[in-house]
Amino acid sequence: MNQSDCNPTERTPAPPDSLFERCAWFYALCREYLFRDHTPEIVQSLFPDEPPAPGTHLLELGCGPGFYACRLSEELPHIRTTGIDLSHNLIRRAQSRARKFRLPNCTFKHADAHALPYSTGSIDAIVVSRLFLIVPDKEGIVDEVFRVLRPGGRCFIAEPTSGFRTRFPLAFLWLLSRLTTVPAGKYREPQQADVMSRPDFEALIATQPWGSMQLEADNWYQYAVCQKAPAVPAQALGQPRVLELRGAF
Ligand SMILES: C[S@@+](CC[C@H](N)C(=O)[O-])C[C@H]1O[C@@H](n2cnc3c(N)ncnc32)[C@H](O)[C@@H]1O
């Protein structure tokens, strides 16, 4: 008897296998040669006023082959980056990329973006690129981004707007998996990438009470740069200041 036999009301879980796990090499190739590199925009958006302090912890969610985690570790060698992904094969590729480029400040972890293994308010900055296209619970991920960011922390989110350029790689992943697996496997990714309309993207990002939220778009991508409101100092809240009276008594 399996678990779902015990609870007939439970929803049928998504298939456990992932196209990204099965055809990791193909996605890594697309990431390297087909998709745009937003590293300069990410750095400018996440750290607009001054360079990040040493030890700043940046997360990349759904990092795939670790493209941004590695690029950002290279550009900002004094920060710490962690890429998280559900695909073990892509994480292995990401780790070997970080070794190849000698990036000791760049690590990777197997984790689900819907349930991040970090405590509330513990992360300085987050990058999410091309992830909402394929996940079932987008709001759950935005919730998690908001939860783990520290007050004043920022996130950069980039999602494609172009149906063809986006759907082609996913459709090709499905085709490859069919050609290389007999019988054809079942994968949790949708058959078609879910390219969000601008109003849907805006509504998704606005599900959280950001301190500031900036949305932009060009021909291929839409972007959100959000900041969690900085912590308000106790004085500003009208609470009594605690003075240290050294040697007064
Ligand atoms: C379309 S790729 C994007 C990869 C990379 N961010 C980029 O810009 O190319 C989506 C990645 O998200 C991963 N992924 C899918 N669902 C996830 C989840 N719930 N938690 C973490 N990673 C997930 C997949 O394994 C895949 O590597």
Side-chain angles (χ1 to χ4, degrees):
M1 190 163 80
N2 64 29
Q3 243 187 340
S4 56
D5 292 328
C6 304
N7 182 359
T9 57
E10 211 170 80
R11 264 195 309 148
T12 318
D17 291 338
S18 163
L19 279 176
F20 290 95
E21 185 74 352
R22 166 117 212 115
C23 309
W25 64 271
F26 177 74
Y27 188 78
L29 220 64
C30 291
R31 174 65 268 182
E32 200 68 33
Y33 299 109
L34 193 61
F35 304 147
R36 198 191 295 174
D37 177 2
H38 288 113
T39 305
E41 292 91 334
I42 294 175
V43 173
Q44 174 58 34
S45 307
L46 294 180
F47 311 109
D49 304 323
E50 51 189 17
T56 292
H57 192 188
L58 181 149
L59 278 189
E60 183 189 1
L61 308 190
C63 64
F67 183 83
Y68 283 126
C70 288
R71 288 282 291 113
L72 292 162
S73 301
E74 220 175 349
E75 292 285 315
L76 305 165
H78 53 291
I79 73 165
R80 216 155 47 92
T81 66
T82 307
I84 71 134
D85 203 282
L86 278 182
S87 160
H88 292 283
N89 282 338
L90 279 169
I91 286 182
R92 271 192 287 277
R93 279 180 174 268
Q95 284 166 331
S96 84
R97 187 187 179 99
R99 271 195 303 275
K100 183 174 152 196
F101 291 107
R102 297 176 200 278
L103 301 169
N105 57 334
C106 181
T107 55
F108 296 92
K109 205 174 191 150
H110 180 259
D112 187 346
H114 297 93
L116 293 171
Y118 296 98
S119 53
T120 300
S122 62
I123 301 294
D124 299 297
I126 298 183
V127 174
V128 188
S129 159
R130 309 178 65 93
L131 177 60
F132 293 125
L133 293 169
I134 53 152
V135 292
D137 179 11
K138 300 175 179 50
E139 271 191 36
I141 292 180
V142 179
D143 264 14
E144 277 296 85
V145 168
F146 188 84
R147 180 184 71 77
V148 301
L149 267 181
R150 67 163 168 80
R154 290 169 182 259
C155 67
F156 175 96
I157 300 174
E159 277 294 299
T161 49
S162 154
F164 175 72
R165 269 223 183 167
T166 306
R167 289 188 178 125
F168 167 75
L170 190 64
F172 202 79
L173 280 176
W174 274 102
L175 180 67
L176 259 182
S177 75
R178 287 201 176 110
L179 293 175
T180 56
T181 332
V182 180
K186 288 194 171 140
Y187 301 101
R188 61 172 165 261
E189 285 79 17
Q191 298 272 343
Q192 264 209 352
D194 180 12
V195 176
M196 271 183 286
S197 68
R198 291 189 193 167
D200 284 354
F201 183 65
E202 184 172 345
L204 172 69
I205 305 300
T207 51
Q208 297 301 317
W210 301 106
S212 74
M213 174 178 127
Q214 194 185 334
L215 297 164
E216 279 177 33
D218 55 32
N219 287 340
W220 301 107
Y221 283 89
Q222 48 198 338
Y223 310 91
V225 178
C226 306
Q227 185 179 29
K228 196 163 167 177
V232 182
Q235 300 99 300
L237 288 174
Q239 288 175 5
R241 283 176 69 194
V242 178
L243 296 176
E244 232 188 305
L245 297 172
R246 260 196 218 117
F249 301 101

